[in-house]
Amino acid sequence: MTALWTDDLSVGDQGIDDDHIGLFELINDLSNASMTHGYINNILHQLARYTEEHFSKEEEHMRKFDFPGVEAHLAQHEEFVEWLTTIRKMYARFPQSPFVVGDAVNSYLQRWLREHILQEDMKYRDFILEQKQAS
């Protein structure tokens, strides 16, 4: 299944939107890839790097505008990092299962990304837009 970026997913910050678009591209690559051990390791590594860079950028953006829901949002980021850490540890123990891990990662990412952006990221987008309009 292809994950599609649409303008309704924009949070109004080009850097954050570009990160989200990059994750959509990674999901699409994963959907169309041959699930080899090296490929899955690479995807997991990219996701770990993505979480470090993107989450810190997003968190900084929320703090800059004193978004009141920042702590709850950070908790969701932490849950994602815990999920990714668990998947990476599991795959390190059972590297003979690239198809299973690839499918699990793909389905989780597709669900999480759309839900997280549409439900959670829109909260800070709307708050920040209100703050900018008020000033």
Side-chain angles (χ1 to χ4, degrees), residues 23 43 46 53 62 67 97 106 111 114 117-118 130:
L23 189 54
I43 289 291
Q46 286 183 54
E53 295 170 5
M62 287 184 277
F67 174 59
S97 58
N106 191 12
R111 180 184 52 77
R114 273 204 162 273
I117 292 174
L118 285 172
E130 288 174 12

Side-chain angles (χ1 to χ4, degrees), residues 62 66-76 120 123-124 127:
M62 287 184 277
D66 293 323
F67 174 59
V70 69
E71 294 306 319
H73 201 98
L74 295 181
Q76 291 189 355
E120 300 306 320
K123 290 177 186 174
Y124 76 75
F127 176 81

Side-chain angles (χ1 to χ4, degrees), residues 75-126:
Q76 291 189 355
H77 287 178
E78 289 172 16
E79 286 176 21
F80 184 91
V81 170
E82 288 175 17
W83 167 81
L84 181 57
T85 300
T86 300
I87 288 289
R88 291 180 85 187
K89 286 179 182 178
M90 182 191 76
Y91 190 56
R93 292 186 66 203
F94 304 103
Q96 66 275 21
S97 58
F99 287 104
V100 172
V101 171
D103 287 345
V105 168
N106 191 12
S107 64
Y108 182 86
L109 286 176
Q110 288 202 30
R111 180 184 52 77
W112 187 87
L113 183 59
R114 273 204 162 273
E115 287 178 9
H116 184 76
I117 292 174
L118 285 172
Q119 294 172 12
E120 300 306 320
D121 288 354
M122 291 302 120
K123 290 177 186 174
Y124 76 75
R125 181 199 68 181
D126 294 344

